[in-house]
Amino acid sequence: MKKLLYLAIPALLMTACGEKKYSIEGKTTGEYEGKTVLLQNNEGETLDSCVVADSAFAFTGGLEGQSVYQISVERTKVPVLIQNGAVITADLTQGPAEVTDNGGLNDQYNIIANNIFETSKSINEKAQKLMAEGKTYPEVLDSIKPDVNAMLDIYRKGIEENKDNIVGAHILGMVAREFYTDRTQLDSV
């Protein structure tokens, strides 16, 4: 009986404490039916995979700390920020795809990424309008400089406000890829 008790106590403790896991539930369009969805790290290594059934897919697992992965199915690649305990929804039925997690890392990232996207779009529209008006390239650059600085401030603020989580690191990586398109340049920094 004592042996049984010794075996039962660790099992009960593990069940009571519960292993913190993340879960990702996703939906796709019918074109992906039967296709394999991959959960990959930045090096392209596959952490998990599943097959789309009834326009849906799901991943569950556990990992140490926080990490950025990609949900990848054929040509579609979507970043997903994962930490244990996260319940993540990935909607691949629209473009751009949307990844949410009830106020978690992905939602924090989405706010920053949307601000960057809208600011970038505004800068591009302003530059095109100025060029259509006959402004020279240096004049256009001079005119959009305050807007570019405002966009850089969004990056800076996003990194600063998230320096204690993976969101800040992911944004820093975005900036690095913008300015260092050659991986060897980035590795040397």
Side-chain angles (χ1 to χ4, degrees), residues 9-27:
I9 289 175
L12 285 171
L13 287 174
M14 285 174 32
T15 305
C17 294
E19 184 180 341
K20 290 201 94 169
K21 293 187 172 224
Y22 64 85
S23 68
I24 302 171
E25 294 184 8
K27 59 183 177 177

Side-chain angles (χ1 to χ4, degrees), residues 48-67:
D48 202 352
S49 65
C50 63
V51 175
V52 175
D54 296 325
S55 297
F57 63 91
F59 297 108
T60 59
L63 60 91
E64 294 290 324
Q66 305 169 343
S67 194

